[in-house]
Amino acid sequence: QVQLVESGGGLVQPGGSLTLSCAASGFTLNNYAWSWYRQAPGKERELVAGIANAGGSTNYADSVKGRFTISRDNAKNTMYLQMNSLKPEDTAVYYCNARHRFSTLLGNYWGQGTQVTVSS
């Protein structure tokens, strides 16, 4: 059974840090590109950060560049999002996504989401 499970969300003060984890099971991860998305209330889901299947190439939304870092550990079947200098506008439900490198028809999986709230 294919499964992505996020963890690490919570309440943090502005300027604080959180690390999200996404643990995968049920499929071979090496052929998948991984991404983190987020969705704030009343807004569309947006791409936050992505990392290629080989782990060498990353991309970030302009709003998080320099503050967030995406990484992956294929041996542990886990992806991470280190979030520093958090702002209230980072408040959202964060989702991890695994997409097959050749086609989403071959695999496109989502986690259930984890809430991140940045507030004083």
Side-chain angles (χ1 to χ4, degrees):
Q1 180 182 359
V2 173
Q3 196 171 20
L4 295 177
V5 179
E6 299 103 334
S7 61
L11 173 64
V12 63
Q13 292 186 343
S17 299
L18 281 175
T19 300
L20 305 183
S21 299
C22 176
S25 60
F27 63 101
T28 303
L29 302 177
N30 290 347
N31 287 324
Y32 285 76
W34 288 45
S35 302
W36 286 97
Y37 286 76
R38 67 186 181 187
Q39 188 167 19
K43 295 187 177 181
E44 294 186 352
R45 189 173 297 189
E46 63 174 352
L47 176 66
V48 175
I51 186 166
N53 63 297
S57 175
T58 59
N59 62 283
Y60 296 91
D62 288 343
S63 59
V64 307
K65 281 181 181 177
R67 300 188 297 122
F68 290 11
T69 302
I70 188 172
S71 61
R72 62 190 289 168
D73 185 335
N74 285 350
K76 295 183 178 180
N77 291 353
T78 302
M79 176 177 65
Y80 305 94
L81 185 68
Q82 174 66 45
M83 305 185 294
N84 298 326
S85 302
L86 284 161
K87 304 175 181 180
E89 52 263 43
D90 295 318
T91 296
V93 178
Y94 284 70
Y95 299 89
C96 64
N97 170 262
R99 183 184 73 255
H100 197 281
R101 58 184 296 201
F102 295 128
S103 170
T104 56
L105 295 177
L106 297 175
N108 188 30
Y109 308 116
W110 291 90
Q112 83 287 353
T114 186
Q115 176 70 47
V116 172
T117 302
V118 184
S119 175
S120 55

